[in-house]
Amino acid sequence: MKPIVIGNWKMHLTASEARAFLRDFMAHPAVFERAEVTLCPTGPVIPIVADTLRGTAVRWGGQNAHWETQGAFTGETSMAMLADLGCTLVLCGHSERRRFAHETDADISRKVEQTVAHGMTPVLCVGETYEQRRQQQQDIVVIEQVRKGVDLLAAFPSLSLYVAYEPVWAIGTGQTIESADAMAMARLIRSTLREELPTGADSVPILYGGSVTPLNVASFVDGDSITGVLVGGSSLDPVAFHQLIAQLV
Ligand code: 13P
Protein backbone atom coordinates (compact mmCIF):
# COMPACT_ATOMS: atom_id res chain seq x y z
CA MET A 1 0.00 0.00 0.00
CA LYS A 2 1.30 3.47 -0.91
CA PRO A 3 1.89 5.87 2.00
CA ILE A 4 -0.85 8.48 2.26
CA VAL A 5 0.07 12.15 2.66
CA ILE A 6 -2.59 14.81 3.02
CA GLY A 7 -1.68 18.50 3.12
CA ASN A 8 -4.19 20.58 5.09
CA TRP A 9 -3.54 24.17 4.10
CA LYS A 10 -6.06 25.45 6.67
CA MET A 11 -6.76 29.20 6.12
CA HIS A 12 -3.51 29.76 4.22
CA LEU A 13 -2.47 30.32 0.59
CA THR A 14 -4.42 32.67 -1.68
CA ALA A 15 -5.09 31.68 -5.28
CA SER A 16 -1.91 33.37 -6.52
CA GLU A 17 0.14 31.87 -3.68
CA ALA A 18 -1.29 28.45 -4.52
CA ARG A 19 -0.26 28.85 -8.18
CA ALA A 20 3.30 29.68 -7.08
CA PHE A 21 3.27 26.72 -4.66
CA LEU A 22 2.16 24.31 -7.38
CA ARG A 23 4.81 25.53 -9.84
CA ASP A 24 7.56 24.51 -7.41
CA PHE A 25 5.80 21.49 -5.92
CA MET A 26 5.09 19.88 -9.30
CA ALA A 27 8.59 20.52 -10.67
CA HIS A 28 9.71 16.98 -9.71
CA PRO A 29 6.60 14.82 -10.02
CA ALA A 30 8.16 11.33 -10.01
CA VAL A 31 7.73 11.01 -6.24
CA PHE A 32 3.96 11.41 -6.54
CA GLU A 33 3.63 8.09 -8.33
CA ARG A 34 4.85 6.26 -5.22
CA ALA A 35 2.60 7.92 -2.64
CA GLU A 36 -1.05 8.94 -2.43
CA VAL A 37 -0.80 12.71 -2.09
CA THR A 38 -3.80 15.01 -1.58
CA LEU A 39 -3.85 18.79 -1.12
CA CYS A 40 -6.71 20.41 0.82
CA PRO A 41 -6.92 24.12 0.01
CA THR A 42 -9.66 26.52 1.13
CA GLY A 43 -12.89 26.37 -0.89
CA PRO A 44 -12.21 29.34 -3.21
CA VAL A 45 -8.78 27.97 -4.12
CA ILE A 46 -9.92 24.40 -4.90
CA PRO A 47 -10.77 25.15 -8.59
CA ILE A 48 -7.30 26.64 -9.18
CA VAL A 49 -5.59 23.65 -7.59
CA ALA A 50 -7.88 21.26 -9.46
CA ASP A 51 -7.12 22.86 -12.84
CA THR A 52 -3.39 22.49 -12.27
CA LEU A 53 -3.47 18.98 -10.82
CA ARG A 54 -5.97 17.38 -13.20
CA GLY A 55 -4.12 14.63 -15.09
CA THR A 56 -1.32 14.39 -12.50
CA ALA A 57 -0.95 11.82 -9.71
CA VAL A 58 -1.74 14.42 -7.03
CA ARG A 59 -5.32 14.69 -5.77
CA TRP A 60 -7.24 17.45 -4.02
CA GLY A 61 -9.85 17.51 -1.28
CA GLY A 62 -11.95 19.73 0.97
CA GLN A 63 -11.27 20.86 4.53
CA ASN A 64 -14.95 20.79 5.47
CA ALA A 65 -18.48 20.81 4.06
CA HIS A 66 -22.04 20.91 5.33
CA TRP A 67 -24.12 17.76 5.80
CA GLU A 68 -27.20 19.21 4.10
CA THR A 69 -27.35 18.80 0.33
CA GLN A 70 -28.25 22.44 -0.31
CA GLY A 71 -30.25 25.27 1.20
CA ALA A 72 -30.23 28.46 3.23
CA PHE A 73 -26.87 27.98 4.99
CA THR A 74 -25.02 31.23 4.36
CA GLY A 75 -21.27 30.80 4.20
CA GLU A 76 -21.35 27.02 3.91
CA THR A 77 -20.18 24.69 1.14
CA SER A 78 -22.01 21.50 0.20
CA MET A 79 -20.53 18.05 -0.33
CA ALA A 80 -21.99 18.11 -3.86
CA MET A 81 -19.95 21.25 -4.62
CA LEU A 82 -16.73 19.54 -3.51
CA ALA A 83 -17.56 16.37 -5.42
CA ASP A 84 -18.34 18.42 -8.54
CA LEU A 85 -14.86 19.98 -8.36
CA GLY A 86 -13.28 16.53 -8.33
CA CYS A 87 -12.39 16.38 -4.63
CA THR A 88 -11.58 12.82 -3.57
CA LEU A 89 -11.72 13.32 0.18
CA VAL A 90 -13.10 15.65 2.85
CA LEU A 91 -11.67 16.30 6.31
CA CYS A 92 -14.43 15.73 8.88
CA GLY A 93 -14.25 16.88 12.48
CA HIS A 94 -10.84 18.52 12.46
CA SER A 95 -10.10 19.69 16.02
CA GLU A 96 -10.05 23.32 14.85
CA ARG A 97 -13.62 22.91 13.62
CA ARG A 98 -14.64 21.11 16.81
CA ARG A 99 -13.21 24.06 18.74
CA PHE A 100 -13.90 27.17 16.62
CA ALA A 101 -17.09 26.07 14.84
CA HIS A 102 -18.39 24.07 17.82
CA GLU A 103 -18.90 20.94 15.74
CA THR A 104 -20.26 18.06 17.78
CA ASP A 105 -19.73 14.33 17.27
CA ALA A 106 -23.31 14.20 15.96
CA ASP A 107 -22.59 16.90 13.35
CA ILE A 108 -19.40 15.12 12.37
CA SER A 109 -21.09 11.75 11.92
CA ARG A 110 -23.53 13.36 9.46
CA LYS A 111 -20.62 14.91 7.57
CA VAL A 112 -18.87 11.54 7.42
CA GLU A 113 -22.05 9.94 6.09
CA GLN A 114 -22.64 12.66 3.49
CA THR A 115 -19.04 12.54 2.30
CA VAL A 116 -19.49 8.85 1.53
CA ALA A 117 -22.94 9.46 0.02
CA HIS A 118 -21.28 11.89 -2.42
CA GLY A 119 -18.67 9.37 -3.48
CA MET A 120 -15.74 10.87 -1.59
CA THR A 121 -13.67 9.55 1.31
CA PRO A 122 -14.18 11.09 4.76
CA VAL A 123 -11.05 11.66 6.82
CA LEU A 124 -12.45 11.42 10.33
CA CYS A 125 -10.16 13.50 12.57
CA VAL A 126 -9.91 12.52 16.23
CA GLY A 127 -7.62 13.40 19.11
CA GLU A 128 -7.43 14.45 22.73
CA THR A 129 -6.59 17.87 24.18
CA TYR A 130 -3.63 18.49 26.47
CA GLU A 131 -5.93 18.55 29.49
CA GLN A 132 -7.55 15.25 28.54
CA ARG A 133 -4.13 13.61 28.17
CA ARG A 134 -3.00 15.08 31.48
CA GLN A 135 -5.97 13.35 33.07
CA GLN A 136 -5.15 10.16 31.13
CA GLN A 137 -8.48 10.36 29.32
CA GLN A 138 -7.00 10.10 25.82
CA ASP A 139 -8.13 6.54 25.12
CA ILE A 140 -11.71 7.15 26.25
CA VAL A 141 -11.91 10.42 24.28
CA VAL A 142 -10.59 8.94 21.04
CA ILE A 143 -12.68 5.75 21.26
CA GLU A 144 -15.79 7.87 21.73
CA GLN A 145 -14.94 10.18 18.83
CA VAL A 146 -14.36 7.19 16.54
CA ARG A 147 -17.50 5.37 17.65
CA LYS A 148 -19.73 8.41 17.14
CA GLY A 149 -17.95 9.50 13.97
CA VAL A 150 -18.69 6.23 12.14
CA ASP A 151 -22.17 5.88 13.60
CA LEU A 152 -24.01 6.32 10.29
CA LEU A 153 -21.64 4.34 8.08
CA ALA A 154 -23.06 0.86 8.65
CA ALA A 155 -25.73 1.55 6.00
CA PHE A 156 -23.15 1.68 3.20
CA PRO A 157 -22.35 -1.60 1.44
CA SER A 158 -18.71 -0.72 0.78
CA LEU A 159 -16.65 1.26 3.18
CA SER A 160 -14.64 4.33 2.28
CA LEU A 161 -13.00 5.91 5.31
CA TYR A 162 -9.71 7.22 6.65
CA VAL A 163 -9.14 8.05 10.32
CA ALA A 164 -6.57 10.68 11.31
CA TYR A 165 -5.30 10.68 14.88
CA GLU A 166 -4.24 14.23 15.71
CA PRO A 167 -3.53 14.94 19.38
CA VAL A 168 -4.73 18.55 19.74
CA TRP A 169 -1.72 19.53 21.84
CA ALA A 170 0.63 18.45 19.04
CA ILE A 171 -1.04 20.56 16.32
CA GLY A 172 1.01 23.58 15.28
CA THR A 173 3.06 23.47 18.47
CA GLY A 174 6.22 21.69 17.34
CA GLN A 175 5.49 19.18 20.10
CA THR A 176 5.07 15.61 18.87
CA ILE A 177 3.89 12.46 20.50
CA GLU A 178 6.28 9.53 20.92
CA SER A 179 5.83 7.44 17.81
CA ALA A 180 5.20 4.32 19.93
CA ASP A 181 2.30 6.15 21.63
CA ALA A 182 0.86 7.23 18.26
CA MET A 183 1.02 3.62 17.07
CA ALA A 184 -0.63 2.33 20.23
CA MET A 185 -3.45 4.82 19.67
CA ALA A 186 -3.73 3.69 16.04
CA ARG A 187 -4.17 0.09 17.23
CA LEU A 188 -6.87 1.24 19.65
CA ILE A 189 -8.62 3.04 16.79
CA ARG A 190 -8.40 -0.14 14.71
CA SER A 191 -9.97 -2.27 17.43
CA THR A 192 -12.74 0.32 17.88
CA LEU A 193 -13.44 0.24 14.14
CA ARG A 194 -13.64 -3.56 14.27
CA GLU A 195 -16.31 -3.30 16.95
CA GLU A 196 -18.27 -0.59 15.19
CA LEU A 197 -18.20 -1.53 11.52
CA PRO A 198 -19.79 -4.67 10.09
CA THR A 199 -17.03 -5.11 7.49
CA GLY A 200 -13.90 -3.44 6.18
CA ALA A 201 -12.43 -2.16 9.45
CA ASP A 202 -9.06 -3.72 8.70
CA SER A 203 -8.67 -1.83 5.45
CA VAL A 204 -9.28 1.67 6.88
CA PRO A 205 -6.02 3.65 6.65
CA ILE A 206 -5.06 5.32 9.94
CA LEU A 207 -3.00 8.51 9.69
CA TYR A 208 -1.08 10.57 12.22
CA GLY A 209 -1.12 14.38 12.35
CA GLY A 210 0.47 17.01 14.58
CA SER A 211 3.75 18.88 13.90
CA VAL A 212 4.84 16.41 11.22
CA THR A 213 7.99 17.60 9.41
CA PRO A 214 10.38 16.13 6.82
CA LEU A 215 12.67 15.23 9.75
CA ASN A 216 10.20 13.27 11.87
CA VAL A 217 7.70 11.93 9.32
CA ALA A 218 9.40 8.57 8.82
CA SER A 219 9.16 7.77 12.54
CA PHE A 220 5.35 7.96 12.44
CA VAL A 221 4.62 5.83 9.40
CA ASP A 222 5.35 2.16 9.99
CA GLY A 223 3.15 1.02 7.09
CA ASP A 224 1.26 -1.23 9.47
CA SER A 225 -0.58 0.55 12.28
CA ILE A 226 -0.06 3.99 10.68
CA THR A 227 -0.04 4.26 6.90
CA GLY A 228 0.13 8.00 6.38
CA VAL A 229 0.15 11.55 7.71
CA LEU A 230 -2.06 14.63 7.82
CA VAL A 231 0.21 17.66 7.58
CA GLY A 232 -0.51 21.32 8.36
CA GLY A 233 2.40 23.77 8.57
CA SER A 234 4.90 21.66 6.65
CA SER A 235 2.51 21.39 3.69
CA LEU A 236 2.65 25.15 3.04
CA ASP A 237 6.20 25.16 1.73
CA PRO A 238 6.49 23.33 -1.61
CA VAL A 239 10.10 22.26 -1.09
CA ALA A 240 9.62 21.07 2.49
CA PHE A 241 6.41 19.24 1.60
CA HIS A 242 8.06 17.55 -1.37
CA GLN A 243 10.95 16.48 0.91
CA LEU A 244 8.48 15.17 3.47
CA ILE A 245 6.79 12.96 0.87
CA ALA A 246 10.15 11.77 -0.43
CA GLN A 247 10.99 10.47 3.06
CA LEU A 248 8.15 7.94 2.80
CA VAL A 249 8.69 6.49 -0.68
P1 13P B 1 0.50 20.95 11.95
O1 13P B 1 1.17 19.99 11.00
O2 13P B 1 0.73 22.39 11.57
O3 13P B 1 0.80 20.65 13.37
O4 13P B 1 -1.08 20.74 11.76
C1 13P B 1 -1.59 19.47 11.84
C2 13P B 1 -3.00 19.50 11.41
O5 13P B 1 -3.86 20.01 12.11
C3 13P B 1 -3.33 18.90 10.12
O6 13P B 1 -4.70 18.77 9.96
Side-chain angles (χ1 to χ4, degrees), residues 8 10 91 94 96 166 170-173 209-212 230-234:
N8 175 10
K10 307 190 179 183
L91 307 184
H94 190 282
E96 285 150 19
E166 298 201 296
I171 294 178
T173 59
S211 297
V212 175
L230 178 54
V231 185
S234 292

Side-chain angles (χ1 to χ4, degrees), residues 45 52 58 65-66 81 86 89 96 100 113 128 133 137-138 159 172 175 185 187 189 196-197 199 201 228 233 247 249:
V45 177
T52 309
V58 181
H66 204 276
M81 291 167 190
L89 58 79
E96 285 150 19
F100 299 122
E113 178 200 29
E128 80 286 357
R133 180 161 279 262
Q137 298 290 302
Q138 65 271 18
L159 184 67
Q175 245 185 310
M185 187 61 90
R187 286 190 291 275
I189 291 170
E196 296 300 310
L197 297 170
T199 55
Q247 296 301 316
V249 299

Side-chain angles (χ1 to χ4, degrees), residues 17 88 101 110 164 215:
E17 288 165 347
T88 56
R110 295 174 79 186
L215 293 179

Side-chain angles (χ1 to χ4, degrees), residues 172-231:
T173 59
Q175 245 185 310
T176 50
I177 191 168
E178 292 291 328
S179 54
D181 290 344
M183 285 166 197
M185 187 61 90
R187 286 190 291 275
L188 186 65
I189 291 170
R190 175 82 58 213
S191 61
T192 308
L193 291 172
R194 283 187 188 130
E195 284 165 18
E196 296 300 310
L197 297 170
T199 55
D202 284 344
S203 58
V204 174
I206 298 174
L207 319 180
Y208 169 75
S211 297
V212 175
T213 68
L215 293 179
N216 65 22
V217 66
S219 70
F220 291 114
V221 180
D222 63 355
D224 177 24
S225 46
I226 299 179
T227 47
V229 281
L230 178 54
V231 185

